[in-house]
Amino acid sequence: MHQINSKTFITENFLLNSKEAEILYHDYAKDMPIIDYHNHLSPKQIAENLPIGNITDAWLGGDHYKWRGMRANGVDEKYITGNTLKEDKFNKWAETVPCTLRNPLFHWTQLELKRYFDVDDILQPSTASEIYKKANSILATKTPADLLEDMNVEVICTTDDPIDNLEYHITIASRNIFTKVLPTFRPDGLLQIEGANFSDYIKKLSTCVGYSINNMNELLNAIQSRIDFFDAHGCRLSDYGLEQIYAYDFTEKEADSILKKRLVNKEITKGESNLYMSFVLYKLCKMYHAKGWVQQFHLGALRNNNSRLLKEVGADVGCDSIGDFSQAEAMSKLFNSLDSENCLSKTITYNLNPSQNEVFATMMGNYSEGGVIGKMQWGSGWWFLDQKDGMEKQINTLSNMGLLSRFVGMLTDSRSLLSYPRHEYFRRILSNLMAEDIRKGLIPNDLPFVGKMIQDICYHNAVNYFKFNK
């Protein structure tokens, strides 16, 4: 591919197509603090707070978005997840970037280079060496805490297993740093009863709580103990990464019997697995409500499609895709059951299949509650959908089916400390969409009014919704 000659691609008015959009972004959205209420950052890395030192580590370590792009470009796996030299991996990414035109990776790459390293050049083979050296010289002095503060990140919520001892969160909380780092309770391991490692996981939970778990009552007590522990250390959210919600009919006696079978490594049927997961999920939701937590459901990923790479490299390496699971009926059944008992928590759902946008948006409108603003949220474009087209469709659908003005806004869902320009990306897209409506006469030409709504979506709604300071 020929060299791209464009410089200063990320201009001051990138993605802003009118004077109104420029005002809405620069005067209202740009400087709002960031609340990143769902990500996969490493608490250990933040607690140790050592400079990352190398952009390959910061950028390519664990970033399955980039790995997919590199594989599509024919890059050998040794340059992606192998043990080759860091600069060689970076150079392979630099070869790939020009081929990502019209993929969000191109925008994200250039935004991150601009915001963290003041680089205007397009990353490509001819600029790779200079960019690599400049980025590394800056990363040699910047700690994770510095990088978060530079981006005005006020709160982050990591994703944590119930058996985590939260030692790194405790260390971070003892220090005076700009960004508050809180845990999120992610109990997927408790639900995966069909998995080969389920019994081992329950043994680890037993060690964590200090007693054996041999039946459902003991399991529920252990879960409650871990929820209490997380709550004491600032946790205010839970999360699930599921194909779909499980809401099959159950009795506690049946669930107990299924658990006992699995704990002695007996095989169970798919129906038994569904019953167990439905029961435990329901109990978890009730425990969250008692704590006043927000619950999140990330639904619809078809994971580990490439068995060869799963065996060679592992999970979460870029071999997941959009699934076509049925969602509406189970969501309705679970949420209605909880609502009927007055124990439905504030809830955010995220769909991975864009054909289900309206399904999710309308479902969340069924369980509003007087006195609770925006209780049920349809979350921002997730994973394959957190790009310009996906964000615009999410914003437009939410506007049509619910109240965009009460939306709690963007999150990174990222493993990289260099991902925070995604919030800027969202804010520019939101500002431009609202400005287009003004220019078309679809909403009043009242920039302060619209600007205040944008500020609410970018920051204030999340502050009021999550109540991290309670």
Side-chain angles (χ1 to χ4, degrees), residues 307-371:
S307 58
R308 174 181 55 81
L309 275 178
L310 177 64
K311 182 178 179 180
E312 294 174 1
V313 184
D316 301 321
V317 297
C319 298
D320 306 325
S321 60
I322 293 171
D324 55 358
F325 307 101
S326 175
Q327 302 289 357
E329 187 174 354
M331 277 197 290
S332 175
K333 187 173 181 179
L334 176 63
F335 297 156
N336 185 57
S337 295
L338 293 166
D339 183 75
S340 297
E341 295 189 37
N342 295 315
C343 56
L344 177 59
S345 299
K346 291 180 180 177
T347 303
I348 309 174
T349 59
Y350 309 83
N351 60 295
L352 197 56
N353 191 327
S355 70
Q356 296 174 331
N357 281 359
E358 287 80 4
V359 171
F360 277 67
T362 55
M363 181 61 65
M364 302 315 284
N366 293 327
Y367 305 102
S368 301
E369 181 178 339

Side-chain angles (χ1 to χ4, degrees), residues 396 432-444:
N396 287 330
N432 193 65
L433 275 178
M434 299 301 289
E436 286 183 9
D437 279 359
I438 289 174
R439 291 171 65 83
K440 293 174 181 177
L442 297 174
I443 61 176

Side-chain angles (χ1 to χ4, degrees), residues 225-358:
S225 174
R226 298 312 295 164
I227 288 175
D228 292 343
F229 176 75
F230 269 60
D231 188 75
H233 291 289
C235 179
R236 298 296 179 265
L237 290 92
S238 66
D239 184 40
Y240 305 91
L242 304 173
E243 293 178 349
Q244 57 197 135
I245 282 176
Y246 297 95
Y248 293 83
D249 293 333
F250 58 76
T251 67
E252 183 166 354
K253 182 178 179 180
E254 289 172 316
D256 179 60
S257 175
I258 295 164
L259 174 63
K260 288 175 179 176
K261 285 175 65 175
R262 196 68 188 86
L263 289 177
V264 293
N265 293 315
K266 291 183 179 179
E267 290 189 5
I268 59 174
T269 67
K270 186 64 177 177
E272 288 176 321
S273 172
N274 289 338
L275 189 153
Y276 165 87
M277 289 189 288
S278 300
F279 175 80
V280 173
L281 179 60
Y282 186 74
K283 288 293 187 178
L284 282 164
C285 292
K286 295 186 73 170
M287 292 178 190
Y288 300 152
H289 181 267
K291 289 293 186 185
W293 286 5
V294 175
Q295 58 186 5
Q296 301 175 94
F297 294 89
H298 285 84
L299 303 172
L302 185 62
R303 299 179 186 271
N304 302 319
N305 294 275
N306 188 322
S307 58
R308 174 181 55 81
L309 275 178
L310 177 64
K311 182 178 179 180
E312 294 174 1
V313 184
D316 301 321
V317 297
C319 298
D320 306 325
S321 60
I322 293 171
D324 55 358
F325 307 101
S326 175
Q327 302 289 357
E329 187 174 354
M331 277 197 290
S332 175
K333 187 173 181 179
L334 176 63
F335 297 156
N336 185 57
S337 295
L338 293 166
D339 183 75
S340 297
E341 295 189 37
N342 295 315
C343 56
L344 177 59
S345 299
K346 291 180 180 177
T347 303
I348 309 174
T349 59
Y350 309 83
N351 60 295
L352 197 56
N353 191 327
S355 70
Q356 296 174 331
N357 281 359
E358 287 80 4

Side-chain angles (χ1 to χ4, degrees), residues 396-453:
N396 287 330
T397 303
L398 178 57
S399 300
N400 287 328
M401 308 295 180
L403 298 181
L404 178 65
S405 60
R406 297 309 191 183
F407 180 37
V408 292
M410 185 58 179
L411 47 87
T412 64
D413 191 33
S414 175
R415 291 168 171 80
S416 172
L417 283 159
L418 302 186
S419 65
Y420 282 92
R422 291 187 192 179
H423 282 262
E424 175 186 341
Y425 199 55
F426 169 82
R427 292 173 181 189
R428 287 177 179 271
I429 289 166
L430 174 64
S431 298
N432 193 65
L433 275 178
M434 299 301 289
E436 286 183 9
D437 279 359
I438 289 174
R439 291 171 65 83
K440 293 174 181 177
L442 297 174
I443 61 176
N445 187 358
D446 186 335
L447 292 177
F449 179 83
V450 177
K452 174 60 168 60
M453 175 177 163

Side-chain angles (χ1 to χ4, degrees), residues 111-162:
L111 270 171
E112 290 165 14
L113 287 174
K114 178 65 175 175
R115 295 297 170 246
Y116 291 101
F117 310 114
D118 196 28
V119 169
D120 287 314
D121 291 310
I122 301 298
L123 179 60
Q124 55 194 309
S126 62
T127 61
S129 179
E130 183 179 345
I131 291 174
Y132 186 76
K133 291 175 183 176
K134 182 174 184 179
N136 287 348
S137 69
I138 292 172
L139 289 173
T141 63
K142 291 282 188 179
T143 67
D146 294 332
L147 293 169
L148 291 167
E149 185 171 358
D150 288 347
M151 291 294 108
N152 200 18
V153 183
E154 192 172 279
V155 179
I156 67 171
C157 298
T158 58
T159 302
D160 309 282
D161 195 284

